[in-house]
Amino acid sequence: MTGYSAYRLDPGPLEPSVLTQQLTHRSRDIWNGSVNMILNTRRCDGKLWDLVKKYPIHPRVLEMIELSGLYGVYRSNRPSIDRSLITSLVERWRPETHTFHFRTGEATITLQDVEVLYGLPVNGDPVLGDESIRTIGDWQNICQRLLGFIPRPQDFNRSSLKVTALNAHMLEQLQLPDLTTQEMIDQMARCYMFWMIAGMMMADTSGNYLKLMYLPMLEDLNVVSSYSWGSATLACLYRFLCKASQSNQNEIAGFLPLLQRVTVLRPQVIAQRDIENNFLACLPRGPRATRWFAHFSWTDTTKHVLKVFRDALDSMTEDQFIWEPYSDDLIESLPDYCRIERDIWRVRAPIFCWDIVEVHLPDRVMRQFGLKQTIPTPFLFDATHFHYDRRGRRNTNWKLEHAQWLPLWNQRLQYVCDAPVNREPLRYDDPYLIWFRRITRLVIGNPTQRPQQQEGYVPNSTAYETMVRHIHSMVDRAKALGDQPSMEDLYIFRAMVRNEGEKCLTYVHEAARINVQADYRRDEVHDDHLHHPVRRRGKGGVAGRRARAVEKGRAPIEMDEPVSEDDHTTCDFGSISRGQTQEFTPGASGMTYQPTNTDIVPYMASQILRNSSLSSLENVFGGSRPQHFENAPNFNSSPGLPMSIETPGVVNHLEDSNDEVENENECGEPSVKEKRRIFPKRCGTGSHYLYQHGKKKQETRNKEL
């Protein structure tokens, strides 16, 4: 096995033309042994949902939130986040393509997901602005005018505001009277909207601060809905995914509930949770994501276990992933604000969120729209774009900064991707999948990094992938041989099967099997091999124990008389293979397998004659040769071949120490004295032996007949 230690499962990519940043990707660290890196998820919306749950939003404030286009985020309630699931998805995110690379193809979060799940507007002006330099006094004046309170200087961190300061102000303004002025209603509505935007949709990694740059965009509540908040949310999520996919990162932010739409291990919804808020009858229904605010059951899946999620994605099949999650009937049943802008769901264009510029590439995931997937064309975009941000560029007009990309967004209807309708699963030999398997990284886990002894869940997907690749190579070689291969080709193929099989066993941690015979056969148990229980009244004590031991085959047998040809006492021959014998001893579950190192006949027979010679096939098979043994070798050529016959319950050894070998006969077979002993396992109750009791029992039965 030393020659195979250099073999490694190649995870890909085989062609580095697409995934050019593999050396800095976190999947490389996982392959090298860093398997338990779970990302920290940053968000600062916890106190918001505690506040909403305890104090429902005023109906007039809720109406303003509905007009802003952010109503779906609030109506979906507090989302739950599984850090292990998020980490397993980030391991498959590629910043070069803005897609998750699964075994069965590419998938991603699209503008369709953002609008259908949360009802965010995706068609409108980009979320950009002029980030001019402002002092703490300037931000205090803006907060007083738009939010209705003046934060303390210590509540600011440059251009960010502490969450606790906003939360304290909202707790003071909970009980709004019915005659509240419209200005106070607008200020309270901005507080909720600002918290949802800066604390959920575009949350950063600070965890305790809200970026104030979004606040001036909420000044005129009549134009808030004109912004493309959905595309800005998606751009922010893309940016944090690209950053988190690098090996030196340990946290992620953004609107993370969108990622959990991709999971293949979805829990079962038991029942919807009770919504304590009294929504007005005039307000629309909630978006698709409201179904996630429910009670779940994890009977058929798991949660919070990174190894399980990673293993599931490594072994995911075509039918496990829901490529088209939103059918036409489902889309038609949604509220209008969740489907009104469906014309731009498939635009191939850049998306913006202040300093962030990312690219929406639906042509790489056409299967998510029920269309035929072809090999996509590359987008001329810097793969290291996520290294550029707003740090050190406080006095920047981002509309001018992104002037080269804005025309593509403004003319987005000209870049709608289209393809023929195809809802059938892709074949393994589809041109797209053949191309994809060469440019992608198929597996994340490394089978050689799996320890021999490991507590908890042991991933198996990469080990199975190793076996499949070896078996695949053997099948290809066998097909190439044709129907009439030459002997040389057969010898080469035999060597290949041996080598590939040894590699398979090595990389599934079963290499110890190579040194033993692979015999997985189970002998057929006949009715005459079964012992009926002893049912005798009044026979206890020593005699009873002896009798029960005899019936169970635990007493020794002493044969004082010669074995004649008429005495056809039979025994089970057991499973026999070259290079070992198989001794079966009674155990808790029936039989226990104990291999020995004695060379014996490499064929099987259910029963043999005890006094017959084992040197001919006629004695083994009762005079009738099976057809597949016509060309079997003659065992007479090995007269000195040692024998050992094992039976369940009784072990019979033909020991040379007890059998004096006399002159050989004409056939070269040894003869033994009339008296010989076969030592089975003793029962420990006396000198009674199985043979004596068995003979008496047979005589009793003959008299009864």
Side-chain angles (χ1 to χ4, degrees):
M1 292 307 299
T2 306
Y4 308 128
S5 60
Y7 175 82
R8 284 183 176 272
L9 171 65
D10 191 346
L14 301 179
E15 297 179 2
S17 58
V18 178
L19 305 186
T20 58
Q21 304 297 317
Q22 180 57 42
L23 293 180
T24 59
H25 198 269
R26 67 187 300 112
S27 61
R28 183 172 180 265
D29 296 339
I30 298 171
W31 191 260
N32 293 334
S34 301
V35 297
N36 296 320
M37 299 182 298
I38 299 179
L39 293 171
N40 296 320
T41 55
R42 297 293 188 178
R43 49 191 296 194
C44 52
D45 61 325
K47 294 184 179 296
L48 170 65
W49 297 110
D50 294 340
L51 186 68
V52 169
K53 182 178 180 180
K54 189 174 182 179
Y55 304 100
I57 299 178
H58 194 277
R60 292 175 60 186
V61 175
L62 197 57
E63 288 180 355
M64 301 304 299
I65 296 176
E66 192 270 332
L67 293 175
S68 67
L70 307 180
Y71 169 77
V73 177
Y74 159 72
R75 186 64 187 266
S76 300
N77 293 281
R78 184 178 186 175
S80 60
I81 300 297
D82 193 324
R83 294 194 303 134
S84 299
L85 173 59
I86 298 298
T87 303
S88 65
L89 292 173
V90 172
E91 292 170 358
R92 289 189 168 272
W93 177 264
R94 303 305 308 201
E96 302 93 340
T97 61
H98 287 170
T99 56
F100 300 101
H101 280 221
F102 299 126
R103 290 178 54 87
T104 54
E106 296 177 82
T108 192
I109 307 298
T110 65
L111 293 175
Q112 181 191 43
D113 296 311
V114 177
E115 186 170 21
V116 169
L117 293 177
Y118 288 95
L120 290 173
V122 296
N123 193 14
D125 298 330
V127 180
L128 298 173
D130 185 3
E131 192 172 1
S132 57
I133 298 178
R134 292 186 174 94
T135 63
I136 292 180
D138 296 334
W139 285 119
Q140 286 179 325
N141 295 331
I142 294 175
C143 291
Q144 181 182 14
R145 187 177 76 255
L146 300 181
L147 301 179
F149 79 106
I150 303 176
R152 300 173 301 173
Q154 57 267 32
D155 293 332
F156 292 94
N157 181 11
R158 295 183 179 179
S159 59
S160 298
L161 177 66
K162 277 187 178 180
V163 175
T164 54
L166 181 61
N167 184 52
H169 164 68
M170 296 178 68
L171 286 174
E172 297 175 356
Q173 303 294 326
L174 291 175
Q175 302 299 328
L176 295 177
D178 294 336
L179 299 179
T180 302
T181 62
Q182 187 62 38
E183 182 181 5
M184 295 182 63
I185 295 295
D186 294 345
Q187 290 174 346
M188 184 57 63
R190 292 191 190 98
C191 290
Y192 285 107
M193 289 187 288
F194 173 59
W195 203 342
M196 285 189 291
I197 293 173
M200 291 182 58
M201 298 159 49
M202 292 102 169
D204 59 7
T205 56
S206 64
N208 296 319
Y209 288 88
L210 305 174
K211 291 182 179 179
L212 288 167
M213 62 184 183
Y214 303 111
L215 186 56
M217 305 183 70
L218 304 177
E219 184 169 1
D220 189 354
L221 295 180
N222 295 322
V223 300
V224 172
S225 60
S226 64
Y227 291 106
S228 179
W229 295 107
S231 66
T233 301
L234 190 59
C236 190
L237 180 61
Y238 281 0
R239 174 58 57 90
F240 282 110
L241 281 170
C242 293
K243 286 185 175 181
S245 66
Q246 302 304 293
S247 59
N248 58 351
Q249 298 294 317
N250 59 4
E251 58 185 4
I252 186 175
F255 202 22
L256 299 179
L258 283 169
L259 295 181
Q260 300 184 148
R261 159 258 183 274
V262 185
T263 178
V264 297
L265 298 175
R266 298 179 178 177
Q268 182 182 1
V269 177
I270 298 178
Q272 296 292 328
R273 295 186 183 182
D274 295 332
I275 300 177
E276 300 180 2
N277 295 321
N278 297 321
F279 296 103
L280 299 179
C282 59
L283 294 177
R285 294 180 292 109
R288 179 66 173 167
T290 54
R291 67 192 180 99
W292 292 344
F293 190 71
H295 297 282
F296 296 103
S297 171
W298 282 269
T299 303
D300 300 327
T301 181
T302 186
K303 61 178 179 178
H304 309 315
V305 183
L306 175 60
K307 291 185 291 186
V308 177
F309 288 128
R310 182 186 295 150
D311 200 43
L313 295 180
D314 278 343
S315 60
M316 185 176 65
T317 58
E318 176 75 20
D319 57 346
Q320 284 185 293
F321 189 80
I322 302 177
W323 290 102
E324 191 179 4
Y326 319 115
S327 62
D328 295 336
D329 295 338
L330 187 148
I331 293 175
E332 293 299 329
S333 66
L334 295 172
D336 292 339
Y337 69 94
C338 293
R339 54 186 172 89
I340 194 172
E341 296 162 351
R342 60 196 307 174
D343 294 339
I344 69 165
W345 285 351
R346 301 197 307 270
V347 295
R348 189 172 189 257
I351 49 181
F352 307 89
C353 181
W354 285 76
D355 58 306
I356 298 174
V357 182
E358 299 292 341
V359 186
H360 184 245
L361 300 173
D363 58 315
R364 308 190 73 96
V365 293
M366 296 301 285
R367 283 189 285 177
Q368 294 183 207
F369 302 97
L371 304 179
K372 181 177 177 57
Q373 182 63 58
T374 58
I375 299 176
T377 57
F379 191 90
L380 300 179
F381 198 77
D382 186 5
T384 60
H385 58 281
F386 50 87
H387 293 301
Y388 304 97
D389 51 34
R390 54 192 290 266
R391 288 178 295 183
R393 308 178 66 183
R394 298 177 60 189
N395 194 15
T396 303
N397 188 337
W398 295 107
K399 290 183 178 180
L400 298 177
E401 187 71 17
H402 305 318
Q404 60 175 334
W405 300 107
L406 281 175
L408 297 176
W409 173 257
N410 296 332
Q411 302 172 8
R412 51 191 174 275
L413 293 178
Q414 300 180 13
Y415 304 105
V416 177
C417 301
D418 201 7
V421 176
N422 182 24
R423 290 182 168 87
E424 297 295 329
L426 289 185
R427 293 171 51 90
Y428 194 79
D429 57 351
D430 186 87
Y432 166 76
L433 289 181
I434 294 176
W435 167 84
F436 176 73
R437 286 192 293 267
R438 295 194 62 82
I439 61 94
T440 190
R441 193 172 183 89
L442 282 177
V443 292
I444 301 298
N446 189 342
T448 62
Q449 297 294 337
R450 189 182 70 176
Q452 291 283 1
Q453 296 180 352
Q454 178 174 327
E455 296 181 357
Y457 182 82
V458 179
N460 292 316
S461 60
T462 49
Y464 293 150
E465 175 67 16
T466 305
M467 296 180 64
V468 169
R469 293 194 183 191
H470 286 303
I471 296 173
H472 191 193
S473 63
M474 289 187 284
V475 172
D476 285 346
R477 178 59 180 168
K479 291 168 62 178
L481 290 178
D483 297 333
Q484 296 180 349
S486 63
M487 291 301 297
E488 181 181 359
D489 291 338
L490 287 178
Y491 279 115
I492 295 175
F493 179 68
R494 183 188 67 174
M496 177 186 180
V497 172
R498 179 193 62 216
N499 297 338
E500 297 296 313
E502 289 181 352
K503 292 177 183 178
C504 289
L505 293 175
T506 299
Y507 285 94
V508 295
H509 296 261
E510 297 289 350
R513 300 190 183 191
I514 299 174
N515 300 321
V516 297
Q517 183 70 23
D519 191 348
Y520 306 122
R521 295 168 294 184
R522 181 171 181 174
D523 296 334
E524 182 180 358
V525 180
H526 300 283
D527 295 338
D528 55 349
H529 297 166
L530 303 178
H531 299 279
H532 300 282
V534 179
R535 303 294 183 187
R536 296 175 180 173
R537 294 172 56 91
K539 197 161 187 177
V542 175
R545 289 196 298 270
R546 291 174 180 174
R548 288 190 293 272
V550 168
E551 293 297 330
K552 294 180 180 179
R554 297 178 179 174
I557 299 176
E558 181 174 356
M559 301 178 63
D560 296 326
E561 56 186 10
V563 180
S564 63
E565 295 182 358
D566 296 333
D567 188 3
H568 289 176
T569 306
T570 61
C571 66
D572 189 7
F573 191 63
S575 291
I576 302 180
S577 59
R578 183 177 296 275
Q580 66 180 39
T581 61
Q582 298 177 3
E583 178 180 351
F584 290 89
T585 58
S589 60
M591 296 181 181
T592 304
Y593 174 69
Q594 298 178 354
T596 61
N597 295 325
T598 307
D599 284 338
I600 60 176
V601 183
Y603 297 106
M604 292 182 59
S606 59
Q607 295 181 356
I608 64 171
L609 300 180
R610 177 174 295 178
N611 64 331
S612 303
S613 171
L614 297 179
S615 61
S616 62
L617 288 176
E618 285 76 13
N619 291 327
V620 177
F621 294 99
S624 60
R625 281 174 174 258
Q627 183 178 2
H628 54 280
F629 287 131
E630 290 296 331
N631 299 322
N634 185 5
F635 297 118
N636 293 333
S637 60
S638 302
L641 188 67
M643 286 295 175
S644 177
I645 303 174
E646 319 294 11
T647 62
V650 179
V651 183
N652 301 326
H653 295 283
L654 306 181
E655 300 188 359
D656 295 337
S657 60
N658 299 317
D659 298 340
E660 297 182 5
V661 181
E662 295 183 351
N663 296 331
E664 298 182 355
N665 54 19
E666 296 179 356
C667 299
E669 299 177 356
S671 61
V672 298
K673 280 188 175 183
E674 292 183 354
K675 182 177 181 180
R676 63 177 181 177
R677 292 183 180 181
I678 300 176
F679 296 94
K681 296 181 179 178
R682 295 182 178 273
C683 64
T685 59
S687 60
H688 288 74
Y689 299 95
L690 176 63
Y691 177 77
Q692 296 173 346
H693 284 272
K695 191 171 183 180
K696 291 180 181 180
K697 186 176 181 180
Q698 185 65 34
E699 293 175 356
T700 304
R701 290 180 180 176
N702 294 336
K703 291 179 181 180
E704 293 176 356
L705 295 177

